[in-house]
Amino acid sequence: MSAMTPSTAEEPIEGLPEGWGVGFSARIAFGIAIAFSAFQLFTAAYGVLPSQVIRAMHVGFLLLLGFGLIANLRAKSPAAKGWFWLLGILGFATGLYNWIEYVPLLHRSGFLTTPDVIIGTLLIVLVFEASRQLMGLPLTIMCGLFLAYCFFGQYLPGPLVHRGYDFVQIVDYFAYGTEGIFGTPVYVSAAYIFIFVVFAAFLERAGMIALFNDVALGLVGAWRGGPAQVCVLSSALMGTISGSGVANVVASGQFTIPLMKRFGFRAAFAGGVEATSSMGGQIMPPVMGAVAFIMAETLNIPYAEVVKAAIIPAILYFGACFWQVYLEAGKAGLRGMNKAELPNPWDAIKQHWPLVLPLAALVYLLFAGYTPIFAGTMGLALTVVLILGTPLAALIGPVAFRIVFWIALGLAAAAFMRFGVNVLALVIGALVAACLAFKGGRETLAICRDSLAEGAKNALPVGIACAIVGIVIGTLTLTGIASTLIGAIIAIGKDNLFLSLVLTMVTCLILGMGIPTIPNYIITSSLAGPALLELGVPLIVSHMFVFYFGIMADLTPPVALAAFAAAPMAKVSGQKIGWEATKLAMAGYVVPFMAVYTPALMLQEPGPMAAAFGYPVEVAYIVFKACIGIGLWGAAVVGFLFGRLAIWERLVAFGAGLLLVLGLPLTDETGFALAALLVAQHWWRGRETVWP
């Protein structure tokens, strides 16, 4: 793919059309994207620059590339195009200023010069404008209100009042400190998220999506409701390498939604399956959504701890999707796809097994205690080695020699664990030089080039969201308003923890109507996390609670961004898709509440059962109970089990599931008894029916 000819499968970036533009300016934007990726990967591998400089240059590149693409893709006149390119250049200049003046800025911290104030003000204005252009008005307005509070909060009444801050102090805090624009979210975007976005871009270009689709088709395509089951499984697999949600809906929905509709599923249900399963990618380990990396950094815990907490909820989430698809297919009388026409999943794995190696290496490094930045960089490097090595291996005739080549290449690449990243850089450099020598190799280099550019472009919305939300964090820490709001939540929770949780959930869902998951999580967790901790909720559980409902906001009407993204492909109202998605994603609404009262569901603190029977028994019991409860709710929502359920049976199923989820004295026993009676009588009532 050239810089001017985007792939037809390319996903639209939030707020931007597809592609790079036309003519020379498209080549410039394409080159900036490659330079952005090269800068981030080099600094990640070698760490030669101070963190503050990396953050400033990260934001500078985001502004340059973001405004450049706005100029190329949205500007209607030469004047508008020149204006946006000027804004991009000015944005990049703020990053260079922070780099060049890094030491002097440290020395005069708190005593800014006139150029410092001008550059700082320019940075704040450009970040707001980039957010408006790329992320929309709701997030920009909300962050603007927080910034206005810094300027005018001293005039407000009662508990909202603060002591007041002058213009220079506010500029210093937000444009040069590590609590404002260059705060933790931008650090995580620069250090972790960018690498994993590029990693996903390389794997997708290397054929990982095709592998996931073939494996999903082969494993579950013949099940009842085959196409929808394939959609759920392929999205779960995609979630292991990509933490994007709405973008996954657009990318995979073009294939899955029409297939489900042709097979006989209702259009709204097909869209709901795609939206629900794609959003679930953000909670599917090992590469979860960008929020997971921010959470690990905020809580100062290893990323592997976040993954551990997410494993069981992710299984329950996708299990609920599979179950409801199975029931819906039974209700509609739909069977599976013809097994003879489906690919063999094991043949697909045999053919593309090298693609699994970088993912396996990534999982190993994350759980072996290495940092996400190291694990992501090494996983990406190994992917590049595989991509570049493939055309060279194809030139080798005998299979035995090919095997020797791959073993030698693998050992050379693995030597980085002992001798450092320079060895891996030498291996990649040698492969690049070899690929330059023949046509197939040069085509492979073009794939790598395009992957670098696509990765940088895909990182734009995440990076801009991280930059603008720094305004919110800075306001909370500068003014101290966070403690006032936290105190209010604690006051409510002293009498009723459940009410505090419901208020937190509603806050997440309301914020999610206008802003993406990342700022939603950062804002809500900054307020609710410490308050829930005071009320006895483990910190990681409270943050996961906020994380989950930030994701659910994209599925919950009336806004439901993921549902509206699926609407054009399903050719049905986004509202209808949203309601179907809400039913399909019920595990995402229930599991966070269960985890607060029984943290073992997220493999956290043991409860009373662990003291009597051991921790594994407690975890197994809670998971079993959750499965039965979610299964009953699925039957109640769909109205089908072995056959169609009567209204009273649906009510009993819902009640039994609720009793199992509540976990109060005797509710488990009552719930299991009700469930057993319901299933037995329903089976007896329809025992003469033959079910597919």
Side-chain angles (χ1 to χ4, degrees):
M1 184 192 78
S2 72
M4 278 65 68
T5 313
S7 164
T8 55
E10 186 180 347
E11 306 160 8
I13 305 303
E14 289 183 58
L16 285 175
E18 298 178 7
W20 299 91
V22 293
F24 181 70
S25 61
R27 294 181 182 276
I28 294 295
F30 192 79
I32 290 169
I34 293 174
F36 189 7
S37 289
F39 172 81
Q40 291 292 160
L41 296 176
F42 180 81
T43 54
Y46 290 98
V48 293
L49 293 175
S51 176
Q52 186 78 355
V53 171
I54 293 173
R55 300 181 201 198
M57 290 301 298
H58 182 72
V59 174
F61 267 115
L62 287 170
L63 294 173
L64 178 60
L65 181 60
F67 283 121
L69 287 174
I70 292 167
N72 288 356
L73 301 173
R74 287 218 309 240
K76 302 297 184 185
S77 66
K81 188 172 184 177
W83 170 250
F84 283 118
W85 271 111
L86 175 62
L87 293 183
I89 292 167
L90 290 174
F92 189 69
T94 65
L96 291 176
Y97 185 84
N98 273 272
W99 190 350
I100 295 167
E101 292 287 308
Y102 172 65
V103 174
L105 280 170
L106 289 179
H107 291 161
R108 59 177 181 261
S109 179
F111 301 93
L112 300 186
T113 63
T114 300
D116 295 340
V117 175
I118 292 171
I119 294 295
T121 304
L122 180 64
L123 172 64
I124 295 171
V125 170
L126 289 175
V127 166
F128 269 91
E129 176 61 9
S131 173
R132 185 181 73 85
Q133 293 284 349
L134 294 172
M135 310 304 296
L137 276 175
L139 175 61
T140 309
I141 291 172
M142 190 195 65
C143 293
L145 291 174
F146 274 86
L147 184 61
Y149 176 69
C150 293
F151 283 104
F152 306 112
Q154 65 269 34
Y155 304 115
L156 295 177
L160 296 177
V161 70
H162 60 65
R163 66 181 182 84
Y165 308 93
D166 63 39
F167 182 83
V168 174
Q169 188 176 2
I170 291 172
V171 169
D172 188 18
Y173 198 80
F174 285 108
Y176 294 103
T178 55
E179 296 289 342
I181 290 172
F182 301 142
T184 298
V186 158
Y187 165 71
V188 175
S189 176
Y192 306 154
I193 297 171
F194 191 95
I195 295 168
F196 282 92
V197 170
V198 175
F199 178 52
F202 268 88
L203 281 178
E204 288 173 17
R205 291 285 179 143
M208 185 63 93
I209 292 178
L211 172 61
F212 285 160
N213 284 339
D214 285 348
V215 170
L217 279 166
L219 288 178
V220 300
W223 291 9
R224 190 163 77 185
Q229 305 285 20
V230 169
C231 173
V232 175
L233 182 57
S234 62
S235 293
L237 292 172
M238 268 302 297
T240 63
I241 65 166
S242 170
S244 178
V246 176
N248 280 356
V249 174
V250 177
S252 58
Q254 299 175 50
F255 162 73
T256 57
I257 293 175
L259 181 62
M260 285 186 273
K261 287 175 65 179
R262 284 199 305 272
F263 196 74
F265 283 105
R266 293 177 290 114
F269 185 81
V273 170
E274 178 57 51
T276 305
S277 52
S278 288
M279 290 307 296
Q282 294 189 69
I283 61 172
M284 175 56 73
V287 181
M288 298 164 64
V291 168
F293 296 101
I294 296 173
M295 187 189 304
E297 190 65 30
T298 302
L299 300 180
N300 195 27
I301 59 175
Y303 176 74
E305 287 297 310
V306 178
V307 170
K308 186 179 80 171
I311 289 174
I312 292 175
I315 293 171
L316 292 174
Y317 181 94
F318 281 101
C321 291
F322 279 120
W323 174 239
Q324 287 194 65
V325 165
Y326 184 82
L327 295 177
E328 179 73 21
K331 184 179 179 180
L334 304 176
R335 296 180 178 272
M337 301 165 76
N338 186 350
K339 194 160 188 174
E341 298 175 1
L342 298 174
N344 186 316
W346 309 116
D347 287 346
I349 292 173
K350 286 177 189 174
Q351 184 178 354
H352 299 288
W353 64 266
L355 293 176
V356 181
L357 296 181
L359 192 57
L362 175 69
V363 173
Y364 167 76
L365 291 171
L366 286 174
F367 281 92
Y370 291 93
T371 64
I373 188 171
F374 180 82
T377 304
M378 293 305 107
L380 173 59
L382 291 176
T383 306
V384 173
V385 168
L386 281 170
I387 293 173
L388 294 176
T390 300
L392 297 174
L395 296 176
I396 302 172
V399 174
F401 288 168
R402 273 191 222 174
I403 293 173
V404 171
F405 169 79
W406 280 117
I407 291 174
L409 190 59
L411 290 174
F416 79 88
M417 294 291 289
R418 181 179 178 89
F419 300 107
V421 74
N422 284 333
V423 173
L424 205 49
L426 287 172
V427 171
I428 293 173
L431 290 172
V432 168
C435 285
L436 284 170
F438 64 102
K439 183 180 178 182
R442 288 191 291 273
E443 291 172 352
T444 303
L445 290 176
I447 290 175
C448 293
R449 176 202 66 193
D450 293 345
S451 299
L452 286 172
E454 289 297 326
K457 192 169 73 167
N458 291 343
L460 268 179
V462 176
I464 293 296
C466 287
I468 189 72
V469 85
I471 299 293
V472 176
I473 295 176
T475 300
L476 294 175
T477 55
L478 178 65
T479 64
I481 187 63
S483 59
T484 303
L485 299 174
I486 290 166
I489 297 172
I490 293 172
I492 295 169
K494 280 181 180 175
D495 299 320
N496 194 328
L497 173 60
F498 181 74
L499 183 57
S500 287
L501 294 173
V502 170
L503 289 174
T504 303
M505 175 191 75
V506 171
T507 302
C508 288
L509 294 178
I510 291 174
L511 282 177
M513 291 180 185
I515 65 175
T517 307
I518 294 169
N520 188 345
Y521 161 78
I522 291 170
I523 294 165
T524 313
S525 64
S526 299
L527 300 173
L532 294 177
L533 179 64
E534 288 287 325
L535 297 171
V537 181
L539 195 55
I540 192 170
V541 173
S542 66
H543 279 249
M544 291 293 286
F545 185 93
V546 172
F547 177 26
Y548 271 61
F549 283 109
I551 293 169
M552 293 300 105
D554 281 338
L555 298 173
T556 308
V559 176
L561 294 179
F564 278 92
M569 292 164 283
K571 294 182 172 55
V572 70
S573 160
Q575 292 288 354
K576 291 181 179 178
I577 293 175
W579 288 115
E580 294 291 341
T582 300
K583 292 186 286 186
L584 282 160
M586 62 181 168
Y589 295 92
V590 176
V591 168
F593 281 95
M594 291 186 69
V596 168
Y597 291 99
T598 51
L601 190 62
M602 289 186 178
L603 301 178
Q604 300 303 305
E605 299 172 4
M609 182 178 285
F613 302 103
Y615 188 64
V617 173
E618 181 184 30
V619 171
Y621 174 73
I622 291 169
V623 171
F624 174 72
K625 188 175 73 162
C627 289
I628 299 298
I630 291 170
L632 288 167
W633 279 2
V637 166
V638 176
F640 187 89
L641 188 56
F642 303 120
R644 288 183 179 272
L645 290 170
I647 293 294
W648 72 268
E649 289 176 314
R650 296 172 76 168
L651 292 173
V652 171
F654 180 81
L658 182 62
L659 288 170
L660 290 172
V661 168
L662 286 177
L664 299 173
L666 296 179
T667 56
D668 284 3
E669 294 86 341
T670 309
F672 281 125
L674 263 180
L677 288 171
L678 172 69
V679 171
Q681 82 78 31
H682 179 64
W683 175 83
W684 182 261
R685 182 167 66 84
R687 65 192 183 283
E688 295 179 0
T689 304
V690 178
W691 302 291

